[in-house]
Amino acid sequence: MKQGLYILILILTFVACEEIYNPKIDEVDDMLVVEAILRVDQQFNSIKLYRSRGFNATDESYPRVSGATVFLTDDEGGTLNFAESTAGIYITNELLNPNRIYTLYINLDGEQYVSEAQEVPITPVIDTVYGERDYRVSVRGAANTADDIVKEYGIQILADINDQETLNHYRFYGRKVIQYMDTYDTVIMGMPETRPIYIWRSVYPSGIFNIAGPPSYSASRDISKHPLEFFEDDYFKYIPDTLSFMGWIYIIDEFGINENSYNYYNDLNQQLGAEGRIFDPVYVQLQGNMYCDSDPSKVVLGNFEITTRSEFRYYLYYTRKREEFWLRKIPYFYDIPERGYIKDDRPDFWEQISRTYPDE
């Protein structure tokens, strides 16, 4: 009885010392967020407006902003209007003039939001794309043991870009299409036969933005050995190990961007890449190129960007147990669905080490 009483008193002592602490967090008004990435080569462009959410907000969605007047002005006094198609999405079907300098205006609730003027970059180019055998190191958790550090071998695709004088900053986005094959048994004209099944699926990048700019503290504006994409030796993480790997189609979208957009993505990458370690950068409010002209005390989030685009395609084939690999440029751009399969007849976009195209 005494022992049980002592245990009860000890438990009550710990419970009595426990106090729930509710930190005081300042309430901040929802801020206007502008998502405006306009492409010169597109017939249709859109700008999205929505509101930020408070730290303790229970709603996981961001409220769309309707009823705004959105338009661009250029350096010759021209105006390009955006019409609201659905809540918070404003579109135009007019092409941008690559020879103009544009400024974004948003009128909302009696306030006017303005961007810094943006020049239209020239169309970007890649001078050389090549691959090198390499490995990638990733860290799991806090890396307290050697088991938390993973080394993965594969092929790193790199790019060299020579100085384009008026354009030296780029953003890349890659779509990887993995090709593989299966077979099925059938009977044709009374004879058993094994026929092929051509299968493919798309893999997209995740994580931070892939951007490139001229090297710091260098007189040269050339960009060399910029990493585009890493292809793991273990392609069976994407396909069943009972099927035959037939290589990758790598589709590269290269965007020409202005230097202030490059700096915005660079700051964003530093925060997206942070994992809560002691030397990681402190989370701060990202400074875009939008401001409230009518009330400078109001904060607006987001960035206005005008970009140009080029597309490049390559075919990559390798085996898991051999060092050599094949990387070949694809000169013909077929339409490739996200994923699918075709029996018997090889798709027109299907790639292999050696093939011909309609114009050859």
Side-chain angles (χ1 to χ4, degrees), residues 14 40 80 82 137 311:
F14 280 114
V40 176
L80 194 157
F82 285 70
V137 176
E311 180 180 321

Side-chain angles (χ1 to χ4, degrees), residues 40-316:
V40 176
D41 62 312
Q42 285 189 157
Q43 180 69 47
F44 291 91
N45 276 293
S46 65
I47 294 175
K48 299 178 182 178
L49 303 181
Y50 47 93
R51 294 284 183 184
S52 63
R53 293 187 298 114
F55 183 81
N56 292 320
T58 56
D59 186 6
E60 295 183 358
S61 62
Y62 294 92
R64 300 286 184 90
V65 174
S66 294
T69 301
V70 180
F71 60 95
L72 300 179
T73 62
D74 62 39
D75 53 332
E76 289 191 346
T79 301
L80 194 157
N81 294 306
F82 285 70
E84 187 170 10
S85 59
T86 57
I89 300 178
Y90 301 79
I91 66 170
T92 182
N93 59 1
E94 296 184 45
L95 285 169
L96 299 179
N97 187 331
N99 300 314
R100 298 276 66 82
I101 299 174
Y102 289 97
T103 302
L104 172 62
Y105 287 85
I106 300 171
N107 293 328
L108 176 67
D109 297 334
E111 305 289 357
Q112 183 174 74
Y113 301 89
V114 186
S115 75
E116 297 175 4
Q118 296 293 297
E119 292 187 41
V120 177
I122 64 173
T123 303
V125 298
I126 297 179
D127 295 281
T128 310
V129 173
Y130 52 99
E132 291 182 357
R133 276 285 173 187
D134 204 346
Y135 63 86
R136 180 174 60 182
V137 176
S138 58
V139 179
R140 298 172 180 170
N144 293 320
T145 67
D147 294 336
D148 294 329
I149 301 175
V150 180
K151 182 183 288 188
E152 192 169 29
Y153 290 88
I155 299 166
Q156 178 66 62
I157 304 299
L158 305 162
D160 291 341
I161 308 172
N162 294 333
D163 184 5
Q164 289 190 253
E165 296 183 358
T166 60
L167 176 63
N168 295 106
H169 297 86
Y170 310 90
R171 175 169 56 88
F172 299 94
Y173 188 80
R175 174 189 174 192
K176 303 190 295 186
V177 182
I178 188 169
Q179 303 177 139
Y180 51 107
M181 291 183 64
D182 197 358
T183 59
Y184 73 99
D185 295 326
T186 187
V187 176
I188 299 178
M189 300 184 66
M191 297 294 294
E193 188 171 335
T194 299
R195 304 289 292 170
I197 305 176
Y198 299 90
I199 316 171
W200 70 95
R201 56 169 291 208
S202 299
V203 180
Y204 290 93
S206 60
I208 64 175
F209 294 95
N210 189 339
I211 56 175
S216 303
Y217 313 110
S218 173
S220 173
R221 308 289 287 177
D222 295 341
I223 299 172
S224 61
K225 302 195 73 169
H226 177 74
L228 292 177
E229 193 72 48
F230 185 80
F231 291 81
E232 304 94 331
D233 277 347
D234 185 18
Y235 40 71
F236 286 128
K237 64 168 54 177
Y238 300 103
I239 66 175
D241 58 10
T242 55
L243 304 185
S244 300
F245 170 71
M246 301 302 294
W248 293 91
I249 298 173
Y250 179 36
I251 303 174
I252 307 168
D253 285 328
E254 180 190 21
F255 299 94
I257 60 177
N258 292 312
E259 185 174 2
N260 58 2
S261 292
Y262 172 85
N263 293 333
Y264 180 80
Y265 285 117
N266 190 49
D267 291 342
L268 190 58
N269 280 346
Q270 292 184 35
Q271 297 198 16
L272 291 174
E275 298 179 357
R277 298 189 178 92
I278 187 171
F279 295 111
D280 281 342
V282 177
Y283 291 103
V284 296
Q285 178 180 294
L286 290 177
Q287 183 64 48
N289 58 12
M290 299 286 303
Y291 62 95
C292 184
D293 188 43
S294 55
D295 184 357
S297 66
K298 283 185 175 293
V299 177
V300 56
L301 304 178
N303 201 59
F304 170 49
E305 174 185 329
I306 294 182
T307 182
T308 49
R309 171 185 172 273
S310 293
E311 180 180 321
F312 306 90
R313 297 189 181 192
Y314 287 83
Y315 172 67
L316 174 64

